[in-house]
Amino acid sequence: MNEILSIKDVYAAYGDLTVLERINLEVKEGEIVLVLGSNGAGKTTLLRTISGILQPKKGQIYFLGRRIDGLPPYEIVNLGISYVPAEGGIFPKMSVMENLDMGTYVTKARKKKGERLHFVFQLFPILRERKDQLAGTLSGGERRMLSIARALMSLPKLLILDEPSFGLAPKVVSELFKAIEQINNEGTTILLVEQNARQALTVADRAYVLENGNVVLEGNSNEIANNPLVKKAYLGM
Amino acid sequence: MKKASIVQKVIILAVYALLPIIFSHSYQLRLLNLLIFFTMFTLSSNIIFGHTRQLFLCQGALVGIGSYISAILPERLGVAPWIILPVGALTSAGIGSLISAVSSIRRLSIIFMAVLTSSFQVIFGELILGLRHITGADEGIVIRSDILRGLIGANRELVYYYLLIATLFATVIIYDKIVNSRVGVAFRCIVEDEIAASFIGINVVKYKVLSAFISSFLFGFMGGLYAYYNLYICPSMFQNIDVHILVMLVFGGMGTLTGPLLGAGAFTLISELLRPLGPITTLIFGILLIILFLFFREGLVVHLKRITGQFFKKHKLCF
Amino acid sequence: METILRGESITKKFGGFTALKNVEFNIKRGEILGLIGPNGAGKTTLFNIISGAFPPTAGRIFFEGRDVTGLKPHQICKLGIARTFQIVRPFNNMSTLDNVLSGALFGKDAVSDLKDAYERSLSIINFVGLEKKKNKLAKELTLHERKMLELARALATNPKILLIDELIAGLTPLEVQETMRLIGKIRDELGVTIFWIEHVMRAVMGLADRIIVLAYGEKIAEGKPFEIANDKRVIDVYLGGGLIE
Amino acid sequence: MLELIIDGITFGLLLSLLGVGITLIFGLGEILNLAHGEFAVICAMLALIFMERGVNTLLSIILGLLITGLIGLALERSLISLVYRARGETRILLGIFITFGLSLAIHSYLVNTIPKAFFSVKLPFEAIRIGGLIIRPSTLLSAVISVLALVLLEVFLKKTYTGKAIRAIAQDEMDAQLCGVNPAPLRTLVFILGAVMAGLAGILYGLIATVAVIIGVDFTLLALIVAIVGGVRSIYGNILSGVILGIVHTIASFFLGAYLSLVILLSVTIIIILTRPEGILGEKG
């Protein structure tokens, strides 16, 4: 399989506060890759750096062989990376449909809008029912679905999800993970950050463990799930 | 107060006191007097904007209230100007405190502060024009009650000059005391982070209102004094004060004591130099405001400090 | 032991979203009470309500038997409840000493004399181990030092109870050890009661006398650390709905 | 009375044109444009200059609008883009001071160079009588063009990708970027749009009254009131508040005189700011 994303020796900081120290990470086409780590380990910073919200201090990021570090977020979206933040990710004062329209803002997605709509409505049928409602009036779970759907509208090759289960009830979380698998089966590569280690490890192919801005562990999901350190710190065993 | 700071103030006071020896011409004295008025205006702006970041775009109105009350009331009530001067100052202070109180309790954002205070300024202007029989509208008021009636025989400009520097130095000393006290600490915390400040026990509303009170009091007081000094006031005098104060404040640098002094000096000089140009000066002040804010936001003092190195360092407020 | 702080069916709604639902708690004087739960469980919201950032939608807070619901932050602080923030907010352009000094000048039993305040501040700076950084600007400190600074500033207000919002996240193992020792010292040497939000389970388990678990705005468990560690519901909810095995 | 209300509505629609510009510019870049009303004067004066040189009225007006747009472009790319570099509260303050300075400079320049210039357009039509009602065609035309411009703006914002992107930036700039929107050119576009709409308001004011060079400050103030009362982020709110304020202003001016009517308008604004700022702005304290 080809590498779709590769991160080489990346350092990132907020002001003078270093958050990522020499991160190396790669994602192959078609995979679901999970990043685990405690609060403050630098997971969100990593995702923000990939999506261009934050510029890395040092290091390189390649997407499909092209160097993307230093590009602004809107160009990175155009290349095929969609980032779904843990909170937000929707325009509350626009209708569900308008939010999905904004998802097709990138030129190449505009032509395939109908096809894509069909896919996301099949993935999250509730959004079809709510399509004329203002996004701000949706429930927490529906908002999360909309933010993922919006990101999918732009035909991403790589979908980056920051804690999709954040703040959701367990039942909704299970549905969401099913959807994530379905998105992956349809051909989209996924990079996922989760605190909900158990469920995330069941869908992921491989995982990285981040601590204090460093990758301390990597491997396929089974190895990671059976690692004594992970068991103790993330699985509560 | 540190010793160095006292010595410095005594020297500055001495210089001010001796200036009339060199600038004895009454035109020059008038300039010096205007300089002190401007310095005082900038100093009071500094208290409210520099130290507590409350945007008051109605300084002209606060000065004007003091001025008009001091101009109108003594004759109408038959009371001595001495008594009315503090009444005017307190009225300004009351209104300033009220604006500060409502806006800090409602936690208005800068945008709303800007619109609220400038609306107030416009209302003041409109009222002055509308209440023609009291204020004389555009024609203004000629003031007959002089605060220094008994001393008028002497050199009027000179007498006012010493009265003004006495006021200035009294203000500077009080200002210094406040900034270096517990209140000054509260001001700094509020500028840094209002929310964090409230969680360590600082009553943010109280201190903001306090700073508005002090500053508006000074505005009103100086406004009244200006009316008695000038013996004539009209609405246009209070129109561009805000711009002038802003220019002076940024010129000198906010939140410092030297800032307003230097800023007012530079401003008086520039506006005197520009005087031959006539009404176009406003255009130049507009451009000056833009340039200053874009490129010299930290103030002239900071830039000077960089150039003169350590010289100003000892003046840095202790604490 | 006597109760110092008590919450009576605290409910908080933001628009249609219920952040807290009928949460009850009870802290005894001299206790370290841990507060844990998944992200978005409402932990920080609870702290915000106790410290006066906003009032609860329903319910009451009692401090030393007195109803303090709806008081403003500065009033709450003056009564003897101090807090730290999850995302630190020291006064960045002030020195370490001035930061702590501002706490001493305005908190409970505020010292109005600058000299006395200096002394109190210095001893607190020593207590948290920042004596070498006392003249540095807060923005020049490391994250750990800034967290210690915020703790020091809160302590300078002379609180009876301290609400700590995530002190350990993002620290190195060595710093974690130091911080845990310090929290113990605050209780034992200064006699300050502690209400403590933390994500690092090991730390809370090791130090807290009792633990409350919040999830989706509701209290799902309360008890001694070992009871919490073995509570089926806590393991389920805190670590996710499904199971691998 | 009915005629007064019609005049008020017409004037109010002009205010809406101005207010909408303030709203859009603030929504996208957090810059409260205190020089906004000057664009109306600039445009009217430009049209006047062309007309005095013998250019046909309609063409003069179009040229005026075009040049006003270009001036907007130049100002945005030079001055305003410097303000965007600052963040948060500093940006808002900087925006206020810079545009304040700008308004002073423009105002002072115009007052000094062409103090006696007055712009107004006379239509070669008779007043229309409907029943007992007399409607001036210029009033009618002014109202129709305002409505048309506002409808076009609404269609642009609601139906086109660019318009949706503009609304998206106003809600959450970072989120809009994550959808692939580059905010900088859209901010420029909106500033130009705002300038041209203000310019149009100036021209239309020339239809119903006379534009003098000193009127820019009043326009800015009225536009600010419209924007604040209608909500700094809501376009419908702006149109509604513009019309209401226009009616109130016109009627109050007629019965109480111009100065008291302004005092009343401003007092209402102050009360609205103090009673429900978050409701209007959608901003949380």
Side-chain angles (χ1 to χ4, degrees), chain A residues 51 53 72-74 77-78 83 85 88-94 98 101-106 110 113 150, chain D residues 157-158 161-165 167-169 171-172 174-183 186 233 281-282:
Chain A
S51 56
I53 299 171
Y74 52 88
V77 181
N78 269 302
Y83 170 53
I90 57 162
F91 301 110
K93 287 181 195 159
M94 287 181 170
E98 282 180 317
D101 282 347
M102 278 309 293
T104 59
Y105 189 81
V106 300
R110 292 187 194 182
K113 188 170 144 188
R150 196 189 73 184
Chain D
L157 288 174
K158 279 275 158 75
Y161 265 108
T162 314
K164 280 177 198 162
R167 285 162 58 216
I169 298 173
Q171 289 181 53
D172 187 333
M174 187 45 74
D175 226 21
Q177 289 205 42
L178 288 175
C179 290
V181 180
N182 179 3
L186 291 181
R233 291 179 207 280
L281 232 189

Side-chain angles (χ1 to χ4, degrees), chain A residues 121-162:
Chain A
F121 281 155
Q122 172 256 316
L123 199 62
F124 304 116
I126 189 79
L127 293 182
R128 192 200 300 271
E129 286 169 38
R130 302 258 189 270
K131 72 181 178 359
D132 297 318
Q133 219 168 303
L134 282 188
T137 63
L138 299 181
S139 74
E142 288 161 0
R143 283 170 188 235
R144 196 62 41 81
M145 290 171 196
L146 177 58
S147 65
I148 295 173
R150 196 189 73 184
L152 286 173
M153 291 301 287
S154 71
L155 291 170
K157 298 187 185 82
L158 175 65
L159 182 68
I160 300 181
L161 299 172
D162 193 355

Side-chain angles (χ1 to χ4, degrees), chain D residues 223-236:
Chain D
L224 274 178
I225 297 176
V226 168
I228 290 283
V229 174
V232 180
R233 291 179 207 280
S234 153
I235 293 191
Y236 284 123

